[in-house]
Amino acid sequence: MYLTQPLHRAAQQTPDDLFTVYGERGTTARETRAIVSRIAGGLKLIGVDSGDRVGVLSLNTDRFCQIVLGVAWADAVIVPVNTRWSVKEIAYSLDEADVSVLFVDDQFAHLADELRNQAPRLHTLIQCGEDKLPHAAIPWAELLSADPVEDAHRQGEALAGIFYTGGTTGIPKGVMLGHRQICVAAMGMLLAQSQVPQGGASILVAPAFHMAGFSAWIAGMLLNATTVPLPAFDPVQVMRAITEHRAKQVLLVPTMLQMIVDHPTVDEHDLSSLELLVYGASPISETVLGRAREVFTSARFLQAYGMTELSPGTAFLSDEDHDDPVLRRSAGRASAFARVRIVDPLDEEVPRGTVGEIVAAGDHVMLGYWKKPKETAQAVRGGWMHTGDGGYMDERGYVYVVDRIKDMIISGGENVYSVEVENAVAKHPAVAQVAVIGVPDAQWGERVHAVVGLVPGAALTLAELRQFCREEIAGYKCPRSLEIVGTFPMSAAGKILKRELRTMAEGGSQG
């Protein structure tokens, strides 16, 4: 099992079908195979050897996909760069991963000199956009002038990529994923469904440098779908792409999904072609989920739960399970390839219904953190990846995520799980988006603090919110302070950055 396998199949079985469409540029499977083999040939010419790390700093484009496949074809390892990072963070990841060759597209050409200065191991830049890069970078056309080479068929446990995570909360860690890990997780996403869309188009809008978007792209290739990359998220552009390409599948993070269903022009677009909508990466409120199912009436919904270290999916909630009001609050059940359990601090499994840490084992678990053996040993113990998520499992094996363990709020001696409070707050008609955090409190130790984005034209007071929440949850769980914001700090994966919210909360709450 390996990343280039779907391309070989497509080139053999449907060579003249479109493999990717980017803007006005459509590329068939036959053409893609030729491009990928020449990328690999060009990399060999500049000295890229087996196992060498090659970086790519690019938005979602057809060339991003071709580069990833070309690097694997050349028997090398891809290092996708987080496009939202600072130059310092990017340089750190490139230097740590020993990246000497970096593909750069137009949007990041202006960073070339700074990256050369701050990442001393970086000696070769390759243009993968339309504009020229400064200082003797290799043009895309020149790279493709190389003679094609045969696929190395790098596969199995061989390292496929290093995916950096955690830059928003500390020193970034490079997650090592092999070809088997990535392909098994993508196949698990397909096996979790009773029906899967074959062929058609797959909209790639979640950032492909992140494992959620990357895995969705791999799954689309496995289903013979034409990949339609979008360089940035815009709700109208996503809806237009679905309509224009009669797309069958898309992966969206909850914030993206909310922006689409709340958009004033949503009813003007024909979204009826969509057969599969995968969502995940962060919690979703039942209110947003309900609106989404009303908008995407023909789509089957699949929730994916996991993390980069799990390639990334380990549990899935099927479309049928979404019809159950209890089950749709869960993250689903372990995929066909995974084992999931809930453990206490001693790694002993706890009884069903008891909150503990969610851990997972299987062929999708990472190979480790690049150059970080201590962190690897701490995260993966006895073959089980410790997610850092708190949750419980019911008698049928459904997993309910209650909070990040480090984000659990202890107020007046009681454990309060932010997801439960967020679900209650999100039901208020004035609330468009919410995040709940714990902030220091002289009386309670910590207090439940709600950060809320309002529906346009709406207003909300703390007293009104507390009264509303008392009908949903216990009084000690209700927010004791409230902050109204226009926008939320977001990670590239679409997750609200609660660490930044805690800093903001120091001077912006209402009592």
Side-chain angles (χ1 to χ4, degrees), residues 174-426:
V175 177
M176 296 187 291
L177 299 178
H179 285 260
R180 178 177 293 121
Q181 276 82 10
I182 294 172
C183 292
V184 162
M187 291 178 67
M189 185 189 304
L190 308 181
L191 289 171
Q193 307 168 58
S194 59
Q195 300 177 37
V196 292
Q198 292 288 338
S202 174
I203 306 299
L204 177 59
V205 64
F209 67 76
H210 189 274
M211 267 311 298
F214 196 95
S215 184
W217 166 49
I218 301 298
M221 286 198 296
L222 291 173
L223 292 174
N224 301 307
T226 299
T227 301
V228 181
L230 299 182
F233 173 76
D234 175 87
V236 173
Q237 293 303 319
V238 173
M239 292 187 285
R240 285 177 178 170
I242 293 171
T243 301
E244 177 183 350
H245 299 285
R246 303 304 297 156
K248 291 187 177 182
Q249 55 185 298
V250 67
L251 178 142
L252 299 168
V253 300
T255 51
M256 293 178 178
L257 191 54
Q258 180 171 358
M259 291 175 69
I260 289 174
V261 300
D262 287 346
H263 199 275
T265 69
V266 65
D267 293 332
E268 300 173 14
H269 300 272
D270 181 3
L271 308 176
S272 61
S273 65
L274 204 67
E275 297 180 14
L276 173 63
L277 195 157
V278 183
Y279 68 94
S282 62
I284 188 170
S285 73
E286 291 189 60
T287 304
V288 172
L289 181 58
R291 292 204 301 270
R293 297 188 82 191
E294 292 174 357
V295 168
F296 296 98
T297 55
S298 60
R300 300 177 66 81
F301 280 65
L302 181 74
Q303 180 188 167
Y305 165 75
M307 60 195 308
T308 302
E309 290 88 336
L310 295 173
S311 307
T314 196
F316 297 92
L317 185 72
S318 71
D319 183 73
E320 292 80 5
D321 289 337
H322 279 78
D323 293 329
D324 187 308
V326 175
L327 294 182
R328 65 170 170 256
R329 295 200 299 269
S330 78
R333 294 192 278 194
S335 184
F337 56 79
R339 289 185 293 156
V340 175
R341 64 180 185 176
I342 313 297
V343 300
D344 63 19
L346 299 178
D347 285 348
E348 295 293 332
E349 188 166 7
V350 300
R352 298 295 173 93
T354 303
V355 173
E357 184 177 8
I358 302 169
V359 298
D363 284 346
H364 62 312
V365 173
M366 69 172 181
L367 301 172
Y369 293 118
W370 179 259
K371 291 185 178 179
K372 288 182 169 57
K374 290 183 179 179
E375 289 87 342
T376 299
Q378 183 178 10
V380 184
R381 304 195 292 271
W384 292 88
M385 178 67 209
H386 289 62
T387 67
D389 285 335
Y392 63 92
M393 183 182 292
D394 71 12
E395 293 297 332
R396 291 183 290 170
Y398 287 89
V399 175
Y400 295 76
V401 181
V402 297
D403 215 342
R404 291 291 294 171
I405 289 176
K406 64 184 179 182
D407 288 340
M408 185 179 70
I409 304 164
I410 303 177
S411 183
E414 297 281 1
N415 292 345
V416 179
Y417 301 107
S418 64
V419 172
E420 183 182 11
V421 183
E422 287 164 354
N423 282 333
V425 174

